[in-house]
Amino acid sequence: MANRETLGLIKGARAGDVACQLALGRVYLFGQGVPQSLPTALHWLARAAQEDSEEACLLIGAHVPFEVAQPSARTLIPYYAQAFDAGLVQAGLVLAQLVLGNAASSGEALCAKARVALDAAVRAGLPNAQWLLSMQEGLSAAGIADTGVAGEPASDGNTPLHAWLEQAWSQGNHAGFLSQGLPLARELLQRQAVAGGRTIALDAQQVLLLSRCAQALAPGGDAEGWQCCELAAHGGDRTAQLELGLGYARMDAQGQRLATRNGAANFKRAVRWLTQAGEQGLAEAWFVLSRIYTKPEFSQRNVVEAHSCLERAADLGHGPAQLECGMHAWRNRRDGVNNDVRAAYWLLQAQAQGSREAEAALAKIAPRGDPGDWGQCAALQADGHLRLLGQSHPLLAARLALARCFHLSRAEALLLDIHAADQGHCLLIDISATHGRGKRRLVLIRTAQERQLLDQVVRLFERVDCGVTGPEGNYRQRLYRLKCYLAEPGVAQEQQFLAA
């Protein structure tokens, strides 16, 4: 969970503070006190870059790879261009990948700049730069004809062939890919066999070719596919590492035993490869590792390590892992002070991915109460009345607005510690220390309007002591102030509030 300092950055970033957005992006980029998350880091750095933050553009260009940037290419291209102009060759490579991969929708000037950036990346020896250059040269070569999905490459040259293979794979033509790519993969396997126990050096293009051949050959049941997978895994391909780990564990990506894979599992080798795949950002690898560490037949069985792997999978967006983390935190809510808050966080993440179980669990953990008295009280329901109250008693008006939005009871509204209540994804309502009948409960923050209102109230109370020694006084004084407001001329008298 985020610490208090990070929560402060989150609030500031959501309020539009560029410095907070930049700092929060850096926190998620390098995993400083929170799980490292490149998509989250990119979100906040892009927000800061929109406000002309040069440092945000440089961080994006230096640390956010093409795979993460691709879904938002149109928005991010100017930031990579700015970072490249500042001298970051890595940013130029990603710029070339984003622009030249969809050159038809890019202007001629931008394509020209992308080609200059690609040339600089090739001269710097960056991985994938030569591969992209060969693709561009192959696609523009006169020998490449538009042969369709089932066509054959029109040239025997190595560069055009690789360009055609890339096109065939992207179009789902695995049979055509294997017909031309498998001979190249077999040459690499032959070189590996000649090298004996020493792993041969491979460039990024060759590793990708082996990995795709392994996927097309189904390495679980094909000896040649397994060899391709093994060599690609040694070359650092995370997809191959995941498949190799699953093969050694005799499991699928859901952690279930595969009947089609005979023989005893080798969990130690599986852990080695799955860990490498997980460290490259594959959530499925951490999820399967969590299953392995709970198996009684595994000599290194460790329930604590299993839960750690499960949380890492959840941090990377694995829906079932998020659901499991949420349910685990809720079952153990009495073992930790904020376990219920943690449970709500993970279940909200799982619900966002369509989990019905998470939605049902949230309905029990944080049920949405009815408006109660607030919905019946016209004086508290009208925005005009609250604006007038805000001129004389701004803190009371803010509390009433919060109560109306989140369906708080009267005591909760008047006694809630605003600073401690905001947990980012939910409100922690706990007035038991100052009100005998108060019970701890959670209220989820589900809409942008609710988040905006809460941020406004938190900013208002930023330097205010919410305790009974603060400017608002004790509960009796706060209640008296509320009753006086309800009894003012022009405000409808509400007997259920005044009588208590």
Side-chain angles (χ1 to χ4, degrees):
M1 298 297 290
N3 55 31
R4 186 172 294 275
E5 182 181 353
T6 306
L7 287 175
L9 290 178
I10 292 173
K11 294 172 189 175
R14 286 172 173 164
D17 189 312
V18 179
C20 288
Q21 290 169 345
L22 179 62
L24 188 60
R26 193 183 291 106
V27 163
Y28 278 105
L29 187 63
F30 301 112
Q32 299 170 340
V34 297
Q36 187 179 31
S37 173
L38 286 180
T40 307
L42 177 60
H43 170 77
W44 290 116
L45 290 175
R47 290 275 297 272
Q50 286 175 1
E51 303 298 329
D52 300 325
S53 172
E54 183 179 358
E55 187 177 353
C57 292
L58 293 176
L59 286 171
I60 291 173
H63 299 287
V64 179
F66 166 71
E67 294 78 8
V68 179
Q70 188 178 22
S72 306
R74 188 180 297 274
T75 304
L76 299 176
I77 282 174
Y79 309 146
Y80 283 100
Q82 184 175 343
F84 174 66
D85 291 339
L88 287 179
V89 181
Q90 176 63 37
L93 173 59
V94 181
L95 173 66
Q97 290 173 311
L98 293 174
V99 173
L100 299 178
N102 192 18
S105 62
S106 304
E108 185 58 36
L110 188 57
C111 287
K113 185 168 188 175
R115 293 188 192 100
V116 171
L118 179 57
D119 290 339
V122 171
R123 288 195 299 273
L126 294 183
N128 297 328
Q130 186 62 50
W131 164 256
L132 181 58
L133 181 62
S134 68
M135 282 181 57
Q136 294 302 311
E137 292 175 349
L139 290 175
S140 61
I144 296 293
D146 185 8
T147 57
V149 173
E152 294 293 329
S155 171
D156 294 330
N158 206 35
T159 295
L161 175 58
H162 280 294
W164 185 88
L165 288 172
E166 180 68 23
Q167 183 181 15
W169 183 267
S170 64
Q171 293 175 344
N173 181 18
H174 290 185
F177 179 90
L178 283 176
S179 68
Q180 300 298 320
L182 192 55
L184 299 178
R186 284 170 176 162
E187 289 180 14
L188 296 175
L189 293 177
Q190 183 63 34
R191 283 172 49 194
Q192 176 61 42
V194 172
R198 181 179 58 84
T199 303
I200 62 173
L202 300 170
D203 60 29
Q205 184 174 292
Q206 293 169 331
V207 171
L208 185 61
L209 172 69
L210 287 165
S211 177
R212 288 176 173 175
C213 284
Q215 294 174 56
L217 288 170
D222 186 281
E224 200 167 42
W226 182 261
Q227 293 171 357
C228 289
C229 184
E230 208 165 18
L231 194 53
H234 280 286
D237 185 85
R238 63 178 191 172
T239 304
Q241 290 169 345
L242 172 63
E243 187 59 41
L244 201 59
L246 293 175
Y248 280 123
R250 303 293 189 266
M251 298 168 74
D252 61 15
Q254 287 72 46
Q256 302 296 321
R257 169 80 182 189
L258 279 179
T260 56
R261 292 183 177 177
N262 299 322
N266 189 328
F267 290 124
K268 288 186 177 180
R269 287 191 178 182
V271 166
R272 172 196 172 190
W273 290 113
L274 290 171
T275 301
Q276 290 187 41
E279 287 173 349
Q280 293 198 64
L282 281 185
E284 295 87 348
W286 292 118
F287 184 74
V288 175
L289 277 170
S290 72
R291 293 292 184 265
I292 290 176
Y293 274 110
T294 59
K295 285 187 171 293
E297 62 266 32
F298 183 34
S299 61
Q300 298 177 24
R301 183 178 186 271
N302 189 328
V303 176
V304 175
E305 185 66 26
H307 189 69
S308 175
C309 292
L310 190 68
E311 286 199 331
R312 296 188 72 166
D315 283 332
L316 290 170
H318 194 277
Q322 291 169 341
L323 173 63
E324 195 167 329
C325 280
M327 298 307 296
H328 179 270
W330 179 246
R331 286 193 300 268
N332 296 278
R333 58 189 178 277
R334 292 181 178 84
D335 297 338
V337 177
N338 282 326
N339 271 4
D340 53 347
V341 177
R342 192 176 185 82
Y345 171 79
W346 287 125
L347 290 172
L348 276 172
Q349 302 296 314
Q351 184 193 29
Q353 298 200 46
S355 171
R356 296 290 183 86
E357 294 177 65
E359 185 177 356
L362 283 171
K364 297 178 181 179
I365 293 172
R368 183 74 171 186
D370 57 62
D373 294 336
W374 305 109
Q376 304 299 322
C377 184
L380 301 176
Q381 209 173 17
D383 290 327
H385 288 317
L386 288 181
R387 279 196 294 271
L388 290 174
L389 177 63
Q391 297 174 6
S392 56
H393 299 292
L395 300 182
L396 177 59
R399 286 183 177 277
L400 296 184
L402 209 61
R404 186 181 64 179
C405 178
F406 292 103
H407 302 168
L408 308 182
S409 70
R410 184 179 61 186
E412 290 171 343
L414 296 177
L415 291 174
L416 184 65
D417 185 340
I418 306 296
H419 305 303
D422 185 9
Q423 298 295 316
H425 60 284
C426 70
L427 270 179
L428 173 59
I429 313 297
D430 189 1
I431 60 170
S432 56
T434 53
H435 194 270
R437 289 181 291 176
K439 292 183 179 180
R440 179 188 175 103
R441 66 187 185 93
L442 302 180
V443 178
L444 300 179
I445 302 171
R446 292 187 177 273
T447 66
Q449 291 76 13
E450 291 176 350
R451 181 71 258 174
Q452 184 178 13
L453 171 63
L454 182 56
D455 287 340
Q456 291 172 355
V457 174
V458 168
R459 284 196 298 271
L460 181 63
F461 279 84
E462 199 163 19
R463 293 182 176 84
V464 176
D465 182 3
C466 296
V468 295
T469 59
E472 295 181 283
N474 58 32
Y475 181 53
R476 287 181 177 274
Q477 292 170 315
R478 300 179 192 189
L479 188 58
Y480 175 76
R481 200 174 294 121
L482 173 62
K483 289 183 176 181
C484 289
Y485 160 62
L486 293 173
E488 286 179 0
V491 178
Q493 291 188 358
E494 304 292 342
Q495 297 301 322
Q496 55 188 338
F497 281 86
L498 294 173

